[in-house]
Amino acid sequence: MNDILDFGLDDLAPVDDDSEEAMEALWTGDLTVLSQHHTTPNGSHSFVLAHDQSVTWGIPGEPQLVAIAVARDLRQSTFTFETSHHATASFAQNWLAERGCPLEPIALRGGDYIQPADDLTLQVEQQTQKSGTRYEVLDTYTSDDNPSEAWTLVNDSQATQAPVRLFYEEWNHGAGTYTMREGVFPDVGVAQTWLAERSEPLPEPPEYSDHNGAVVRARIALSRSAGTSPTPQTGLDAPRATAAAPVQRAVQGRLL
């Protein structure tokens, strides 16, 4: 983890009003850098994934992760500055990847980071990270209470049936792990009912009935990122506990 954040823009001017407003709205003192990547030559682009501590004092449930993309035109002495808030790291990484950032340098693996609990979590995360513009985000929620969770509700442009998808992340702080699951729903109303009641297991996509190829790739990716051999994980077909209804409270550094 690196908490140093310096975009090196002192000698450059924002290329437009949007870039100036995005930069001024971001209080770097409130940010804890989780990962960052800078391109060469001359550091023309910077990509940052950070935790925004100011969210803990804001509206309950608001997304706490911020993705930042900076592009410098050193010949013109200008820069563009973009930011986007997300409930989960995989959606923030997807946003950065769409702006030219490679995924490996901004992965959150090893060290002090909470780790994925099983192979299916890795599969769902990698699918999200590489989804491009497939998902239109409709709503998000983050809670550090009971359950400790974050979710992103989206419309899946590639789904012919049940186009509303729920990406649900839940953390086990005692074990230092988290799970990510994808749920499928025919419309937003049904998804909202599930979130409010949690009376049935999360309905998963039918394509998850065969995890073979994706799971093997996920294990390899985790092993490379962590620098160690993957440890045995929870069985993919094990029953999944139904979470209680979400309780709103301030977010407190869930990734650490």
Side-chain angles (χ1 to χ4, degrees):
M1 189 185 314
N2 191 337
D3 58 2
I4 300 175
L5 186 58
D6 181 6
F7 294 110
L9 302 177
D10 292 343
D11 298 326
L12 306 178
V15 73
D16 52 26
D17 291 341
D18 289 342
S19 292
E20 184 174 13
E21 292 174 4
M23 182 180 66
E24 291 179 349
L26 196 69
W27 291 86
T28 57
D30 291 330
L31 303 182
T32 298
V33 176
L34 303 176
S35 62
Q36 57 184 316
H37 173 66
H38 306 278
T39 62
T40 55
N42 302 322
S44 58
H45 291 75
S46 291
F47 304 97
V48 176
L49 174 56
H51 171 236
D52 186 351
Q53 300 176 59
S54 68
V55 174
T56 64
W57 308 110
I59 300 173
E62 288 294 289
Q64 65 178 15
L65 300 182
V66 58
I68 307 165
V70 180
R72 305 172 187 82
D73 187 334
L74 301 179
R75 292 184 179 181
Q76 299 295 323
S77 295
T78 60
F79 67 87
T80 60
F81 198 104
E82 296 180 274
T83 64
S84 182
H85 283 79
H86 303 270
T88 64
S90 56
F91 274 92
Q93 290 159 338
N94 167 260
W95 186 88
L96 291 169
E98 282 298 288
R99 283 150 183 79
C101 182
L103 288 171
E104 184 174 352
I106 56 171
L108 306 181
R109 294 287 181 264
D112 297 326
Y113 297 118
I114 192 168
Q115 295 298 305
D118 54 26
D119 296 320
L120 184 52
T121 294
L122 287 169
Q123 177 185 340
V124 177
E125 282 193 317
Q126 290 178 2
Q127 172 185 308
T128 305
Q129 292 164 352
K130 300 175 182 180
S131 62
T133 59
R134 172 178 175 177
Y135 300 122
E136 175 194 3
V137 176
L138 305 175
D139 196 10
T140 69
Y141 181 85
T142 303
S143 170
D144 199 31
D145 209 322
N146 183 23
S148 188
E149 66 177 19
W151 52 257
T152 303
L153 189 66
V154 306
N155 184 71
D156 184 354
S157 63
Q158 295 185 15
T160 56
Q161 295 180 343
V164 174
R165 302 294 170 102
L166 177 70
F167 290 88
Y168 177 80
E169 184 175 288
E170 187 171 15
W171 318 300
N172 183 337
H173 292 292
T177 61
Y178 68 94
T179 56
M180 172 75 84
R181 298 292 185 259
E182 178 183 357
V184 298
F185 300 92
D187 55 53
V188 172
V190 176
Q192 290 173 333
T193 298
W194 185 89
L195 284 165
E197 298 178 355
R198 313 291 179 96
S199 59
E200 298 179 355
L202 183 67
E204 293 187 346
E207 58 265 29
Y208 285 2
S209 60
D210 179 10
H211 305 293
N212 293 338
V215 165
V216 170
R217 292 191 296 272
R219 283 201 186 102
I220 293 173
L222 177 60
S223 177
R224 288 175 176 172
S225 299
T228 59
S229 299
T231 56
Q233 303 290 354
T234 304
L236 298 178
D237 297 323
R240 296 172 189 128
T242 301
V247 178
Q248 292 187 340
R249 75 181 287 262
V251 175
Q252 298 289 344
R254 61 178 180 81
L255 289 172
L256 311 180

